């Protein structure tokens, strides 16, 4: 047994309170704890947490189930079709470790950074968004989820309606509801959000915020069509509303995608768009560095809310991000991921056609990490999800992606969190068992 293994085992025992270590003397068994204190009565909290009873107040609900389904690690032997991040084999672990090591040696790396973020990193994000965005219009934030939370808090007061795509990312719905907002669905088709319905929703609700993912939308994979891009901005501008653009997977484009459309923020001189983008999806779940971009008075409100909530993103992480995106390893990593995601997407679509032809795949995306499938009419979605887990496959049920009643049962299958194409094919084959069990 190596000394490293011994030290880790001792550290684990110390954390559990079973062992105490004394420098220069050794490790000793800890004294047994006295009997635990009697349990308290926490039932009073139910009243306190439900105190928002006024008729004009939207009760806050904090339901993380739609988020945790893509964060939970399935048991050993279960195929992870519910994952929302790259498999470790696709993550640039060596490049990130090298970047973090170099970052830690930078002068001032452990000091306090500027509240808005390091100027060089803000400049890099500004260039990646478009040539019309400046570093002064960018704030560095701690992950896309945190950026979305800041944006919604800045733009909508509690009780207000907020327009969302339908279906949409469950994490955003959870943020909105936790803030006491009312998500109002606007349907999405193969070309993204439907402008006529968006205009109707603005008129009917008086909403001042619309949240969208114009590129490889989650979960449908749709890309907002060119003719709709300007129309969406015009509709929002006429309504006096903001568009929160969640550009979450621009760096997970597939090898056959062709040129990508610019972010909406790049074509928005009037400050309608509040842009969110992140490095996390293309790197690692723990590499939580992202950016908020906006222009006009709203930028100061975004900055103030972020400072109040988190002060700033840790400087070593910002320095490491600069080291990573400035290294030769970064473009190589993106090319590798692009090729691999296309291969995995193709393997999953082929396997679905072979083993599960009764499931409808309305759109095959050229970016992102998942497919969105419609179940046959009348299928019990929770029963299918449970049967899939019994067959050895964890997947994301469709219901949490809808802010209102869904039109049919759906599931989302991720192909990024598994080891490779062989596991994808085997996972889809297992789903055949689940389908037979539920559909007969």
């Amino acid at each position: 047994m190596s000394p490293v293994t011994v030290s880790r085992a001792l550290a684990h025992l110390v954390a559990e309170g079973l062992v105490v270590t004394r420098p220069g003397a050794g490790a000793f068994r800890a004294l047994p704890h006295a009997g635990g204190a009697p349990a308290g009565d926490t039932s009073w909290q139910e009243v306190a947490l439900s105190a928002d009873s006024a008729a004009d107040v939207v009760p806050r609900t904090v339901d993380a189930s739609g988020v945790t389904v893509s964060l939970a690690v399935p048991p050993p032997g279960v195929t992870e079709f519910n994952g929302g991040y790259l498999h470790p084999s696709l993550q640039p672990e060596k490049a990130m470790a090298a970047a973090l090591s170099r970052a830690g040696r930078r002068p001032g790396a452990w000091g306090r950074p500027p509240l808005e973020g390091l100027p060089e990193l803000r400049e890099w994000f500004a260039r990646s968004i478009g040539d019309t965005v400046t570093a002064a219009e960018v704030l560095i934030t701690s992950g896309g989820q945190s950026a979305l939370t800041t944006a919604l808090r800045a733009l909508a007061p509690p009780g207000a309606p907020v327009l969302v795509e339908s279906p949409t990312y469950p994490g955003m719905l959870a943020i909105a509801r936790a803030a006491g907002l009312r998500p109002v669905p606007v349907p999405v088709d193969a070309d993204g959000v439907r402008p006529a319905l968006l205009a109707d929703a603005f008129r009917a609700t008086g909403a001042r915020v619309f949240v969208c993912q114009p590129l490889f939308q989650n979960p449908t994979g749709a890309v907002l069509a060119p003719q709709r891009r300007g129309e969406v901005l015009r509709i929002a501008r006429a309504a006096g509303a903001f568009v929160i653009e969640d550009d979450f997977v621009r760096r997970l484009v597939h090898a056959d995608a062709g040129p990508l459309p610019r972010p909406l923020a790049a074509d928005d001189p009037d400050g309608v768009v509040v842009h969110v983008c992140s490095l996390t999806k293309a790197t690692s779940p723990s590499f939580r560095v992202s950016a908020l971009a906006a222009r006009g008075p709203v930028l100061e409100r975004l900055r103030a809310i972020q400072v109040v909530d988190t002060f700033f993103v840790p400087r070593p992480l910002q320095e490491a991000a600069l080291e990573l995106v400035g290294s030769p390893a970064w473009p190589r990593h993106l090319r590798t991921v692009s090729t691999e995601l296309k291969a995995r997407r193709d393997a999953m679509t082929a396997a679905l056609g072979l083993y599960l032809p009764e499931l409808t795949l309305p759109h095959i995306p050229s970016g992102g990490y998942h497919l969105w499938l419609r179940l046959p009419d009348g299928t019990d979605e929770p029963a299918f999800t449970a049967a899939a887990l019994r067959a050895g496959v964890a997947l994301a049920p469709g219901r949490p992606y809808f802010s209102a009643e869904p039109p049919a049962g759906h599931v989302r299958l991720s192909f990024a969190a598994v080891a490779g194409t062989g596991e994808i094919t085997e996972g889809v084959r297992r789903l055949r068992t689940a389908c037979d069990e539920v559909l007969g």
Side-chain angles (χ1 to χ4, degrees):
M1 185 180 300
S2 73
V4 173
T5 301
V6 173
S7 65
R8 286 179 176 173
L10 282 174
H12 186 76
L13 293 171
V14 169
E16 290 188 350
L18 301 175
V19 165
V20 293
T21 57
R22 298 170 189 159
F28 303 87
R29 188 176 69 176
L31 294 175
H33 290 289
D41 179 7
T42 61
S43 59
W44 65 272
Q45 294 183 6
E46 296 183 42
V47 177
L49 293 172
S50 304
D52 293 339
S53 58
D56 60 341
V57 174
V58 177
R60 291 184 302 161
T61 58
V62 185
D63 181 3
S65 58
V67 182
T68 55
V69 71
S70 63
L71 295 176
V73 179
V78 174
T79 301
E80 190 176 354
F81 280 168
N82 62 322
Y85 299 100
L86 297 178
H87 187 268
S89 64
L90 293 179
Q91 296 174 19
E93 290 186 347
K94 290 183 179 179
M96 288 189 296
L100 193 59
S101 177
R102 294 193 301 271
R105 297 192 297 269
R106 283 186 168 199
W110 295 92
R112 183 176 61 191
L115 297 180
E116 299 85 356
L118 296 180
E120 302 91 340
L121 188 57
R122 296 168 69 196
E123 178 63 37
W124 183 86
F125 271 112
R127 289 198 308 271
S128 71
I129 297 169
D131 53 9
T132 62
V133 179
T134 68
E137 296 166 337
V138 174
L139 303 173
I140 303 302
T141 60
S142 182
Q145 189 78 355
S146 175
L148 286 172
T149 301
T150 297
L152 278 175
R153 285 186 58 200
L155 302 178
V162 55
L163 305 187
V164 301
E165 294 172 316
S166 182
T168 192
Y169 166 52
M172 191 277 301
L173 294 177
I175 293 169
R177 289 169 177 147
L181 304 177
R182 294 187 290 112
V184 177
V186 182
V188 170
D189 61 22
D191 291 325
V193 69
R194 297 168 60 182
L197 296 181
L198 178 64
D200 290 344
F202 273 124
R203 283 192 295 268
T205 65
R208 291 294 179 264
V209 181
F210 169 50
V211 187
C212 65
Q213 296 174 324
L215 187 67
F216 310 132
Q217 196 257 359
N218 183 10
T220 66
V223 176
L224 187 62
Q227 64 272 21
R228 293 187 181 182
R229 290 168 55 86
E231 197 171 355
V232 166
L233 294 181
R234 285 193 298 272
I235 290 169
R237 182 69 182 84
F242 289 96
V243 174
I244 299 177
E245 177 184 28
D246 183 12
D247 199 16
F248 73 116
V249 286
R250 181 168 292 271
R251 295 173 182 86
L252 295 186
V253 61
H254 300 170
D256 60 347
L260 297 183
R262 285 153 51 101
L264 294 179
D267 299 320
D268 168 42
D270 298 329
V272 173
V273 178
V274 173
H275 179 89
V276 176
C277 58
S278 173
L279 291 174
T280 305
K281 289 295 186 186
T283 55
S284 158
S286 291
F287 204 80
R288 306 201 65 76
V289 178
S290 61
L292 267 171
R295 52 171 52 104
V298 70
L299 183 62
E300 180 54 33
R301 181 179 292 187
L302 292 167
R303 176 185 178 275
I305 289 177
Q306 173 167 301
V307 169
V308 168
D309 284 351
T310 63
F311 287 1
F312 47 76
V313 177
R315 182 162 188 157
L317 199 55
Q318 294 191 54
E319 298 279 7
L322 269 175
E323 289 282 355
L324 178 64
V325 299
S327 71
W330 179 242
R332 288 199 302 268
H333 164 67
L334 294 181
R335 287 194 297 269
T336 299
V337 169
S338 178
T339 300
E340 181 65 21
L341 288 179
K342 177 186 179 299
R344 289 167 177 238
R345 179 205 66 195
D346 291 346
M348 182 171 277
T349 54
L352 288 168
L354 178 63
Y355 294 110
L356 294 169
E358 60 267 67
L359 270 61
T360 304
L361 177 61
H363 177 66
I364 299 176
S366 56
Y369 53 88
H370 58 264
L371 298 179
W372 179 243
L373 296 162
R374 177 170 173 149
L375 300 175
D377 289 345
T379 303
D380 187 327
E381 183 184 294
F384 182 81
T385 302
L389 192 57
R390 287 192 294 272
V393 179
L395 48 77
R399 182 62 186 90
Y401 291 82
F402 292 91
S403 60
E405 293 78 4
H410 292 80
V411 293
R412 196 194 76 159
L413 303 185
S414 168
F415 46 79
V418 293
T421 55
E423 187 176 357
I424 289 172
T425 302
E426 171 59 19
V428 175
R429 188 194 65 78
R430 292 179 184 181
L431 285 178
R432 177 70 262 169
T433 303
C435 205
D436 291 339
E437 177 184 333
V438 175
L439 300 180

